[in-house]
Every structure is written in C-alpha cells, then in structure tokens.
Amino acid sequence: MIDDQALFRSGLGLVIDSQPDLTVVGEAADGSEAVDLVRRTTPDVVLMDVRMPTVDGVTATRSLCAEFGDDGPKVLVLTTFDLDAAVADAIEAGASGFLLKDAQPEFLLGAIRSVAAGSQVVAASATKALFERVRAKRTSPPGAEFDQLTTREREILLRAAEGLSNAEIASAEYLSEATVKTHMSRILTKLQLRDRVQVVVYCYEHGLL
C-alpha cells in the first residue's frame, strides 16, 4: 500500500486486514519506495495513490512494471478525483485498474481480489470517458505485432476490449471457455500486454474500437 496520507493507510489497512484472505504486507508513503517495498514484501497487489509529493503513482507504477514485468504485482490505482488525467497515464504505464478513494469498502475488497485474479477494475462512472481520453491523446494504426494475430484472435481481442468476460466471449463465439482463455493468453503474448485493461487501451489507441 503506497499513499502519502498516514491516516488513510491506517484506515485502509484495518479494512483489508479484517478479511481472512487478505493481508497488508507493507506500506510506504511515497512512490520512490515502491520498488524496494515490493522486493521486500512480494505482494500480489499494490494499492497505489496517484498524487504523491516526491514520486507520483504513475512514475512508481512504470518503475514496478519495468523492474518486475509480468512476474510483478498487479497495481490498483486509488485516486480522489474522478477522471484524474493521471489515471489514464497510470493505466498506460501498466496499472490493472483504478478506483476512487471514496469507494465502498466491500467494493474495494472485491476489486483487490479481482485484480489479484487477473481481472481489470475501472471505476464504473469513468470507464467510457477514461478510455475516450486515452484515444484522444493519440490514435495510430496498429503495428506489426497486430499482424501476428489470427482472424479468430482479432475477433476475441475486440470482444475483450468491449468488456466481455471469457464466458461471454465463449458464448458469443461458440467456443469453450478454456479455448477463449488460451486465445487470450496468446493475444497478450503477441501484443506484449499484461492484462485486459491494456487490451482496452491498445484498442482505443489504435482506433480498433
């Protein structure tokens, strides 16, 4: 958990530690401590504040992804401001989603579990506007990596970018859920993406949605 407000960290810690399957393994007050904290505590999920005085959450997220890659923890960004411009940058840097700090405790706990399991979490009120902002920043044709995808993989890529789960994609494409999961794994590998949030960002950036 990385946040410059000690009182917020304390309250959040109490909520998380109240759950039998969740434990706070470490805390830091600034993004500059992120990499060292993860090395020492090896968390599954990092809760990252966006705005911190020395090293912000976007820079810290980028550092974590560069240092640990796919073997690193998932990053769940927390922000006070809906549609904070820095949130889009954090998603592009490798974060697996974001929530507002005033989210209900039950929703936060569910988000932590979902991100740990490999799903993406984006504050519902901001999903469309967030990715429209990503698209507005720059839109360019997909590169050579997109050509590596088969026709079926491109279909599944777009279904995933529209927010469909593996089960929903399986139903829509008349495939088994296991087959969809295999396709998604190959898509992520070929496009060098970490998770479904980055799939959505990729599709918006390259005008596929």
Side-chain angles (χ1 to χ4, degrees):
M1 180 173 11
I2 303 174
D3 193 291
D4 62 326
Q5 298 178 21
L7 187 59
F8 180 79
R9 292 200 313 271
S10 177
L12 192 56
L14 289 174
V15 171
I16 293 171
D17 284 333
S18 71
Q19 303 298 299
D21 59 328
L22 299 176
T23 303
V24 176
V25 297
E27 297 181 20
D30 187 77
S32 62
E33 304 173 47
V35 171
D36 181 59
L37 180 67
V38 169
R39 282 202 195 104
R40 289 187 288 105
T41 60
T42 62
D44 296 309
V45 177
V46 172
L47 299 182
M48 181 78 73
D49 186 18
V50 169
R51 299 190 178 279
M52 292 178 284
T54 305
V55 175
D56 62 57
V58 176
T59 302
T61 297
R62 191 173 291 115
S63 296
L64 288 177
C65 292
E67 178 79 14
F68 301 102
D70 291 339
D71 296 325
K74 304 293 185 182
V75 177
L76 180 59
V77 172
L78 301 178
T79 178
T80 304
F81 305 103
D82 200 354
L83 293 183
D84 189 331
V87 170
D89 294 331
I91 295 296
E92 289 185 289
S96 293
F98 87 95
L99 289 179
L100 299 179
K101 285 187 173 181
D102 62 0
Q104 292 296 315
E106 295 79 8
F107 189 78
L108 172 64
L109 294 170
I112 293 172
R113 295 184 179 101
S114 294
V115 168
S119 298
Q120 76 274 27
V121 176
V122 177
S125 63
T127 304
K128 182 177 180 180
L130 171 66
F131 290 114
E132 286 290 352
R133 178 171 291 178
V134 171
R135 181 166 64 180
K137 289 175 64 178
R138 61 178 185 274
T139 300
S140 61
E145 74 285 346
F146 185 73
D147 296 333
Q148 299 178 50
L149 300 181
T150 65
T151 300
R152 173 63 81 182
E153 287 169 348
R154 293 182 187 188
E155 293 170 350
I156 291 175
L157 171 72
L158 294 180
R159 295 281 192 180
E162 290 169 353
L164 273 66
S165 66
N166 285 351
E168 290 169 334
I169 295 173
S171 176
E173 297 291 335
Y174 303 101
L175 299 170
S176 71
E177 195 168 342
T179 298
V180 172
K181 186 175 181 179
T182 298
H183 279 307
M184 281 303 306
S185 178
R186 290 173 180 167
I187 290 167
L188 293 175
T189 299
K190 290 179 180 180
L191 299 183
Q192 298 183 15
L193 304 175
R194 291 190 64 186
D195 52 36
R196 285 174 177 249
V197 167
Q198 291 199 336
V199 164
V200 179
V201 171
Y202 178 90
C203 288
Y204 269 99
E205 282 184 338
H206 298 300
L208 299 176
L209 288 176

